[in-house]
Amino acid sequence: MTEGVMGAEVLRPTDESSAAVRDAARPEVERLRQPAAWNPESFARQQIRGLVRQVFFSNAARPVRQVVCSALESETDMRGLCRSVGEALALQTPATVAVVGGYPRLLREADPQREDSTDRTFADRTFKDASMPLRQISARVSGNLWLVPDGENGADPVTASSLHSHLGEVRRQFEYSIVQAPPAGESDGAAAMGQFADGIILVLSAHHTRRAAARKIKAALESAQVRILGVVLSDRVFPIPESIYRRL
Amino acid sequence: MADALDQRGIVNVAIAQQPVAPALPVLSAWTVLLAGFVAAGAAGTAAAFAADYLDPAFRTPDDVLAYLEAPVLASLPRGVQGRISA
């Protein structure tokens, strides 16, 4: 008898021990057989990870490093969406990721100890000293994820060149960036940003965004030579109860 | 004589048998119930299609794909955006 066969004989479980192993594993097997309860948060996380893979890690001819996200409705929570995309991206790459926009709330959120008065000083310093490196006025929330204030200055009007200058600075200092733009239906800011960035993601609100309005805005962006990477459909409702949906 | 009655406008009719209500309806209650269900189902389905056709908003990723011809990167349930963290 060879050693291997002997080894196999030694490892072969007896009937009693195999039954015990089966009994111990049964709850786990039953759990795996049952369809998992649908969880909106985990579903959303899965969707965001899919978005990151499709946008940033696809084998497109033009790699995407800087993305503008713009909603069609002002009520859409773009800050949360951009932050989620940034977090998912930061987990999938060691490169630096910047989430741009939502200032000054982003900075306050990143450092809850900071008082409002300090925040104001921080903001003033941000806007007055344009030569200051972005990382000094940004908040680092994890190893490679940064929250960067947008380029708007309360005093000066926002122009396409100032937006481009700010996005260029972000691009120089961070390898990936997700930029929160104003609603595409309300101003030209999203188009101006989209022209400079690698593309734009439109965020539609289910049951709210009108088809005709979305089509019109998409045509306007395309005529402005903005690359539309895709669409996110947010605020979806699933009217079929979970117990019925699982049986379908 | 009949012609003479007609000329004077006198009704020239005689009741052969008194009318009576039928003991059973032409259609049974089950038939009427079934027809009601079928009609209600058809009307409901038509109303659903009409509402779907007339609704100007997006509801599903398929809607987006059909009307915008743009890829849908993600679809997010209502109320989770502030609670998603990777």
Side-chain angles (χ1 to χ4, degrees):
Chain A
M1 192 178 285
T2 63
E3 190 178 339
V5 174
M6 281 179 68
E9 282 181 350
V10 168
L11 289 174
R12 187 181 298 154
T14 62
D15 288 348
E16 286 180 6
S17 64
S18 64
V21 168
R22 266 203 314 273
D23 290 344
R26 188 165 291 150
E28 183 67 14
V29 171
E30 292 298 324
R31 189 183 65 76
L32 291 173
R33 273 186 190 155
Q34 287 176 352
W38 189 76
N39 182 325
E41 280 91 6
S42 66
F43 176 77
R45 277 194 290 273
Q46 188 185 347
Q47 292 285 309
I48 294 288
R49 283 196 294 269
L51 180 152
V52 167
R53 276 196 302 273
Q54 289 178 74
V55 171
F56 295 100
F57 302 119
S58 69
N59 295 322
R62 287 169 58 194
V64 175
R65 295 285 177 146
Q66 189 171 61
V67 166
V68 170
C69 295
S70 176
L72 268 67
E73 314 290 341
S74 55
E75 296 84 12
T76 307
D77 176 20
M78 288 305 296
R79 196 168 67 95
L81 178 65
C82 292
R83 175 85 180 255
S84 304
V85 173
E87 286 175 349
L89 178 59
L91 283 178
Q92 294 189 28
T93 177
T96 51
V97 177
V99 178
V100 184
Y103 186 84
R105 289 177 64 188
L106 281 177
L107 293 172
R108 197 173 293 137
E109 178 187 304
D111 187 359
Q113 303 300 322
R114 181 177 288 134
E115 296 296 329
D116 278 357
S117 57
T118 317
D119 229 13
R120 176 52 54 202
T121 310
F122 196 66
D124 291 344
R125 191 179 61 168
T126 302
F127 294 138
K128 283 175 181 167
D129 189 358
S131 62
M132 184 173 287
L134 268 180
R135 291 196 188 196
Q136 286 186 21
I137 58 167
S138 304
R140 188 179 192 172
V141 290
S142 69
N144 58 341
L145 179 64
W146 295 74
L147 304 181
V148 180
D150 56 34
E152 290 187 19
N153 179 333
D156 298 335
V158 178
T159 60
S161 64
S162 68
L163 286 174
H164 290 182
S165 166
H166 184 66
L167 292 183
E169 191 59 32
V170 170
R171 193 190 281 269
R172 273 189 291 280
Q173 296 194 26
F174 299 94
E175 287 167 86
Y176 291 97
S177 50
I178 298 111
V179 184
Q180 179 185 336
E186 295 182 4
S187 73
D188 295 332
M193 290 180 175
Q195 286 173 331
F196 189 79
D198 296 320
I200 190 168
I201 296 174
L202 288 176
V203 182
L204 312 180
S205 179
H207 305 276
H208 200 249
T209 303
R210 290 172 177 267
R211 294 166 179 164
R215 192 180 278 174
K216 191 176 168 185
I217 288 168
K218 180 174 176 264
L221 290 171
E222 284 172 340
S223 68
Q225 307 295 319
V226 177
R227 179 185 175 194
I228 297 174
L229 298 169
V231 174
V232 171
L233 186 63
S234 71
D235 299 328
R236 282 192 71 192
V237 291
F238 298 88
I240 302 175
E242 188 192 333
S243 56
I244 297 174
Y245 190 78
R246 260 195 261 170
R247 294 170 195 276
L248 295 177
Chain B
M1 182 159 181
D3 292 341
L5 287 172
D6 287 343
Q7 284 172 3
R8 293 182 185 184
I10 297 173
V11 178
N12 185 19
V13 174
I15 297 173
Q17 186 182 0
Q18 289 293 333
V20 290
L24 295 173
V26 175
L27 299 174
S28 71
W30 289 111
T31 308
V32 172
L33 198 63
L34 184 65
F37 271 113
V38 171
T45 306
F49 271 101
D52 181 73
Y53 183 76
L54 296 174
D55 187 357
F58 292 105
R59 286 192 304 280
T60 65
D62 288 342
D63 280 351
V64 178
L65 201 58
Y67 283 89
L68 284 188
E69 295 172 354
V72 179
L73 302 169
S75 77
L76 304 174
R78 178 175 289 173
V80 300
Q81 267 159 278
R83 294 181 282 140
I84 312 169
S85 63

